[in-house]
Amino acid sequence: MGTQKRRKIYIFDTTLRDGEQSPGASLTPEEKLKIAKQLEKLNVDVIEAGFPASSAGELEAVRMIARGVRQPVICGLARMIPKDIDTCRKALENAARKRLHVFLATSPIHRQYKLKKSKKEILKVVAEGIRSARKDFRQIEYSPEDAMRTEPEFLAEVVRAAIDSGATSINIPDTVGYTVPQEFSDLIRYLIRKNPDLGDKVVLSVHCHNDLGLATANSLAAVLAGANQVECTINGIGERAGNASLEEIVMAIDTRQDFIDCYTDIRLIEIMKTSRLVSHLTGMVVQPNKAIVGRNAFSHESGIHQDGILKKRQTYEIIDPKKIGLAGTQLILGKLSGRHAFNARVRKLGFHLNKEKLEQAFIRFKELADKKKYVFDEDIEAILEDQLAAVPEIWKLVSLKVQIESGQAARAQVRLSFQDKIQETDSQGDGPVDACYKAIEKIVKSGATLSHYSIQSVTSGKDALGEVVVKLEVRGKEITGHGTSTDIVEASVKAYLFAINKISAQILPIEARPSPV
Ligand code: KIV
Ligand code: ZN
């Protein structure tokens, strides 16, 4: 390592904007706020909270985040048009620290087919747009969309115009995930040569998509070439194949300090929790072999590897899983644990529940401890997440009976309560879950169709809690529901009812947004 000071890399999280553009990842404003609060605990530098001009719901969500999350800079995205910029101003008026993020494409294909603008016109719109935004924003970030497929000389010219007009950050997006590491680092070096303020007085940011599976590699190549901000998302969610994943970038910088010589201010211990929360609320299950946060990322199957790990962990593990908050491998509470121990653990896990919710969570913990030999932190987190979900139990599950006989259709008998009145019915189905869902529909008559169903275990072992995520489509909207139980049919019913209760209480995802890019 040289004698130079290590460079700080700013982490700009766009889970709530580009990440939420993932097909099927629709969130309600309350869910967005919950993720933003967790991102604050993770200590990201900037939260891109949304694209306020895209819908009234999105404007409201960004407003809520600007009011409720005080530490990171809160950023809103806008096209380079006065209406969008003004909506961003309104959305961010209560933010402690705010940033406007404007974008306008620069590549030949976008200029010719999408914008129908000449190079000269692009330069004019960028300069005027940024200049006019300066009266309302001290921090302005400009993104030349599809930068990677833009002529480098023209890109440098637009970047110069943006800086001269008052942009404080320049973000270079690889919008379609087209570049490769060497090419990207060459471009970053070229831009710094042309505009030496980049990476110094002006933040030089990169934003990589993962269409070729290179988003993390490209972002790191840019960091090595002088970029000092990375835009990324939790679990790498985002348009198409997603964005660069926050946890991969941050852990690569941390693990390879010897080579990268930079640091971030991310609280590594919060990584797992943030990943689980985003997966839980978006309903986007993390692939088991996903780097850092996948279920298998720290599992060792081969005998040789297991033997090596037992002798010295570092033989086959480059990261200590405890570092990212994966402490759940240890037994923490059992059925003899009392309220005091439970409450202490809840606090340690970073949850703050009111008395009533805490009591309900304790009862669920006791029920679980009766069924399950070992109760892990992950189990408790799953219970607490359920408890904290601000969805009123309009429809409540009273009892459930399923009958399966080989060669015959499954039968389910479901009893639900609605305003203290019990309603009961039965139904046949293609398996027990289908039979339950048909029976529930006969009672609640939501008209929803099931568009997604997934199940995974919260921890390992045959008595593990199963977590089910469903998405129900109703009147063009997709509503996510989740449920946990050691019984997977019950977890499935809970998930379905969770979504039905959201529909009944009108807790709906933000209107389908026109995608900005
Ligand atoms: O991918 C992209 O180009 C974007 C911009 C708005 C930064 O998301
Ligand atoms: Zn993007």
Side-chain angles (χ1 to χ4, degrees):
M1 223 185 275
T3 48
Q4 269 194 326
K5 246 176 81 198
R6 285 161 68 211
R7 274 187 311 131
K8 152 122 182 189
I9 304 301
Y10 293 90
I11 297 297
F12 178 116
D13 180 279
T14 183
T15 306
L16 297 173
R17 199 278 299 170
D18 220 347
E20 213 215 349
Q21 282 175 221
S22 307
S26 45
L27 295 165
T28 65
E30 291 74 19
E31 288 168 339
K32 285 188 84 161
L33 178 61
K34 205 162 166 189
I35 292 177
K37 287 193 169 162
Q38 179 57 33
L39 291 171
E40 184 175 40
K41 284 194 193 148
L42 184 65
N43 209 26
V44 302
D45 298 286
V46 186
I47 294 177
E48 187 164 49
F51 177 34
S54 63
S55 74
E58 181 78 343
L59 167 63
E60 188 43 32
V62 179
R63 258 179 187 284
M64 277 166 65
I65 293 170
R67 247 184 263 126
V69 179
R70 309 305 286 171
Q71 183 54 37
V73 173
I74 308 298
C75 178
L77 182 72
R79 288 166 295 185
M80 199 65 97
I81 53 178
K83 168 186 146 292
D84 276 28
I85 297 174
D86 199 50
T87 313
C88 253
R89 178 188 61 73
K90 288 189 196 128
L92 297 173
E93 63 195 353
N94 294 314
R97 303 193 296 149
K98 60 183 170 188
R99 181 180 299 181
L100 171 73
H101 180 188
V102 275
F103 69 98
L104 183 70
T106 48
S107 65
I109 191 164
H110 281 239
R111 290 193 316 257
Q112 186 181 346
Y113 294 101
K114 191 179 89 175
L115 301 172
K116 303 193 187 340
K117 283 196 191 320
S118 67
K119 287 182 178 172
K120 212 167 143 200
E121 286 168 313
I122 298 279
L123 283 165
K124 188 161 178 279
V125 175
V126 167
E128 286 178 0
I130 294 174
R131 234 178 270 131
S132 75
R134 270 167 62 180
K135 63 179 186 325
D136 295 312
F137 292 94
R138 298 226 318 254
Q139 291 193 24
I140 302 176
E141 173 164 323
Y142 165 62
S143 287
E145 191 193 357
D146 203 16
M148 216 36 241
R149 293 189 298 173
T150 302
E151 307 87 333
E153 306 72 29
F154 179 56
L155 185 62
E157 208 182 326
V158 183
V159 166
R160 160 63 47 217
I163 296 173
D164 288 348
S165 310
T168 51
S169 309
I170 297 292
N171 178 46
I172 304 300
D174 180 22
T175 304
V176 290
Y178 181 68
T179 196
V180 294
Q182 185 69 50
E183 182 189 41
F184 201 38
S185 59
D186 286 350
L187 179 72
I188 296 299
R189 283 199 187 91
Y190 169 78
L191 290 175
I192 297 175
R193 267 202 315 280
K194 289 286 191 177
N195 292 288
D197 282 345
L198 286 173
D200 184 20
K201 292 194 192 83
V202 175
V203 172
L204 176 54
S205 173
V206 289
H207 174 115
C208 296
H209 279 271
N210 207 26
D211 298 65
L212 294 174
L214 292 171
T216 298
N218 290 335
S219 306
L220 291 172
V223 164
L224 286 166
N228 62 342
Q229 177 180 284
V230 176
E231 301 198 354
C232 43
T233 61
I234 301 296
N235 301 337
I237 63 171
E239 284 276 2
R240 308 180 307 278
N243 287 61
S245 118
L246 181 146
E247 58 280 3
E248 291 174 16
I249 287 163
V250 166
M251 289 317 293
I253 292 175
D254 183 75
T255 308
R256 296 306 312 275
Q257 285 170 32
D258 59 322
F259 189 74
I260 301 179
D261 208 11
C262 296
Y263 69 97
T264 72
D265 279 330
I266 292 298
R267 274 187 211 116
L268 306 181
I269 194 91
E270 296 288 337
I271 285 181
M272 264 329 288
K273 191 164 175 205
T274 317
S275 163
R276 282 201 203 106
L277 181 69
V278 169
S279 168
H280 181 74
L281 293 180
T282 58
M284 295 191 68
V285 175
V286 175
Q287 80 195 54
N289 61 327
K290 163 89 178 60
I292 318 296
V293 292
R295 184 163 20 94
N296 295 348
F298 296 96
S299 306
H300 304 276
E301 194 69 30
S302 110
I304 295 175
H305 288 205
Q306 286 177 353
D307 180 57
I309 286 278
L310 289 174
K311 289 179 173 142
K312 177 109 180 134
R313 188 186 58 75
Q314 286 87 340
T315 49
Y316 288 100
E317 244 174 41
I318 57 167
I319 297 168
D320 182 349
K322 287 197 202 80
K323 208 170 184 176
I324 59 162
L326 254 178
T329 40
Q330 58 187 324
L331 162 69
I332 59 117
L333 294 172
K335 66 179 182 188
L336 298 178
S337 308
R339 254 187 198 78
H340 190 69
F342 179 76
N343 293 358
R345 176 56 56 168
V346 168
R347 276 195 304 278
K348 191 148 183 248
L349 289 171
F351 287 86
H352 302 280
L353 276 74
N354 64 27
K355 246 177 137 184
E356 191 194 345
K357 295 251 179 208
L358 195 59
E359 185 55 25
Q360 288 164 357
F362 181 67
I363 293 169
R364 276 201 65 190
F365 156 70
K366 280 293 196 186
E367 285 166 4
L368 182 64
D370 270 342
K371 290 187 197 153
K372 199 170 179 288
K373 201 162 162 207
Y374 302 121
V375 180
F376 298 103
D377 278 355
E378 287 92 333
D379 296 317
I380 299 208
E381 278 176 354
I383 292 177
L384 297 172
E385 285 301 342
D386 269 4
Q387 233 39 60
L388 281 176
V391 177
E393 269 197 294
I394 298 173
W395 291 97
K396 265 195 211 151
L397 176 65
V398 179
S399 69
L400 175 68
K401 224 195 241 167
V402 287
Q403 204 185 329
I404 319 166
E405 262 176 59
S406 61
Q408 296 203 15
R411 291 196 71 80
Q413 195 182 49
V414 176
R415 296 176 88 200
L416 303 180
S417 80
F418 176 76
Q419 292 175 344
D420 292 333
K421 272 218 208 99
I422 307 278
Q423 301 190 38
E424 176 178 340
T425 193
D426 57 9
S427 187
Q428 288 193 348
D430 194 7
V433 173
D434 186 47
C436 288
Y437 287 0
K438 286 198 170 118
I440 295 174
E441 263 312 309
K442 268 194 191 170
I443 300 176
V444 304
K445 298 186 181 61
S446 74
T449 51
L450 182 72
S451 57
H452 167 92
Y453 174 93
S454 67
I455 180 158
Q456 61 177 340
S457 58
V458 174
T459 54
S460 52
K462 56 180 198 306
D463 61 357
L465 266 185
E467 179 179 33
V468 171
V469 175
V470 296
K471 287 184 190 282
L472 302 190
E473 212 180 296
V474 61
R475 291 181 290 282
K477 288 201 174 85
E478 215 171 39
I479 288 99
T480 308
H482 17 78
T484 49
S485 171
T486 47
D487 177 332
I488 56 170
V489 179
E490 189 181 67
S492 305
V493 167
K494 282 185 173 172
Y496 198 91
L497 284 178
F498 189 99
I500 291 290
N501 283 330
K502 269 185 168 175
I503 297 168
S504 307
Q506 292 285 306
I507 303 172
L508 301 177
I510 295 163
E511 281 300 317
R513 272 151 264 193
S515 159
V517 287

